[in-house]
């Protein structure tokens, strides 16, 4: 198959229209069979539930070309399950997990020419999502929904690739106890836009959100979970019911323990103790592992010993092992790699 003429090495994290996307509709209590379409546009009523009350959830995944030339996805079953959890919380009908996997496979296959080649540093980002599409004016769930999957080739999420980031402790909250922080709802991202725009304007790459109940514990950023490394090489990640259960973070904790033989801890992480860590990273599908060099808390700088030039030693080992598994250079735990073709 002839790949598209794209400057893979210089891709940023943006939207590039690809050839095909998957669409299925939910009406009268059932999902239809769905189909691929070349039309990237969605037509809906002016009063659609998603437009009025933000009834929409999504997922983020990637397809990679492995060292053997196969196109694969990474733990897609966990995305399928998380999307069911997200949908339920917003009173939307679940898109069946098996069908989710088929739709992702079908869409990636139809856009195989856009899957970046092995070694290019880029990947094909996959965005499954669903939304309420029929008119809704009183506050209630829609009756009709659309599920879609599109793909777009991407490079690094943060400009500068793996250069350490500077982030700030945000005065805004991301999620409330018993709210929607643990699901991938569009509304969580809409309310983070003001915080990210003001962080960028002030020269920061991202926001560190604290738990909104006590404002003493580290939660996550707008689009990634945290991992920290102690000076004696323990890998620590915040435990919280109000953060997104990152598939990358769960995988990294497994890799730390079972591939690198490190001690791991998922627990409350207090802002006060962050200064004692040796390394810090943001992890997620888009972020992969992006090292953090500095956290600024209202003028007070927390500078990690790993510095502003390169990833910390353990973060780098985690990064190399995880990406090695995704690219087929390192044997994956059973069930982690889903071969598309
Ligand atoms: N946290 C938030 C708020 C996110 O949007 C994401 C991205 O999906 C993550 C964490 C990382 O999750 P995952 O590793 O499953 O992509
Ligand atoms: C992802 O990592 O897939 C996300 O959805 C995060 C988003 C901020 C791009």
């Amino acid at each position: 198959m002839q790949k598209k003429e794209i400057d893979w090495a210089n891709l940023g994290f943006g939207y590039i229209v690809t050839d095909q996307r998957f669409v299925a509709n939910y009406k009268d209590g059932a999902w239809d069979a769905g189909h691929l379409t070349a039309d990237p546009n969605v037509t809906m009523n002016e009063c659609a539930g998603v437009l009025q009350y933000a009834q929409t959830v999504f997922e983020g995944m990637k397809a990679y070309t492995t060292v053997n030339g196969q196109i694969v996805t990474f733990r897609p079953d966990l995305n399928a399950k998380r999307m069911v959890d997200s949908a339920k919380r917003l009173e939307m009908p679940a898109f069946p997990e098996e069908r989710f996997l088929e739709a992702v496979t079908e869409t990636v296959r139809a856009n195989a020419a856009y899957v970046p080649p092995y070694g290019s540093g880029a990947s094909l980002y996959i965005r499954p999502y669903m939304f309420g599409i029929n008119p809704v004016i009183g506050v209630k769930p829609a009756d009709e929904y659309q599920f879609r999957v599109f793909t777009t080739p991407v490079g690094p999420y943060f400009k500068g690739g793996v250069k350490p980031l500077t982030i700030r402790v945000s005065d805004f909250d991301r999620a409330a106890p018993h709210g929607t922080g643990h699901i991938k709802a569009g509304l969580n991202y809409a309310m983070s836009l003001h915080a990210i725009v003001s962080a960028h304007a002030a020269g920061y790459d991202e926001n560190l959100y604290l738990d909104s109940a006590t404002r003493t514990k580290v939660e996550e950023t707008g689009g990634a979970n945290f991992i920290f490394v102690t000076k004696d090489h323990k890998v620590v990640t915040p435990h919280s019911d109000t953060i997104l259960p990152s598939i990358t973070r769960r995988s990294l904790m497994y890799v730390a323990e079972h591939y690198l033989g490190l001690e791991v801890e998922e627990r409350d992480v207090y802002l006060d103790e962050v200064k004692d860590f040796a390394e810090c990273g943001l992890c997620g599908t888009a972020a992969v592992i992006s090292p953090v060099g500095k956290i600024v808390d209202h003028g007070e700088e927390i500078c990690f010993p790993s510095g502003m030039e390169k990833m910390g030693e353990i973060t780098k080992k985690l990064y190399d092992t995880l990406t090695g598994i995704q690219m087929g250079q390192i044997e994956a735990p059973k069930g982690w790699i889903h071969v598309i073709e």
Side-chain angles (χ1 to χ4, degrees), residues 82 174 184 189 220-225 244 246-248 283-285:
R82 191 168 64 186
R174 176 182 173 274
K184 218 161 159 54
Y189 300 81
E220 60 174 330
T221 68
N225 281 182
L244 192 77
S246 159
I247 294 162
T248 313
C283 58
T285 299

Side-chain angles (χ1 to χ4, degrees), residues 7 11 25 30 36 59 118 132 183 208 216 224-225 227 241 247:
D7 183 6
L11 278 175
N25 287 296
L36 288 175
E59 272 304 321
Y118 172 77
I183 60 160
L208 179 161
T216 58
N225 281 182
I227 48 161
D241 294 337
I247 294 162

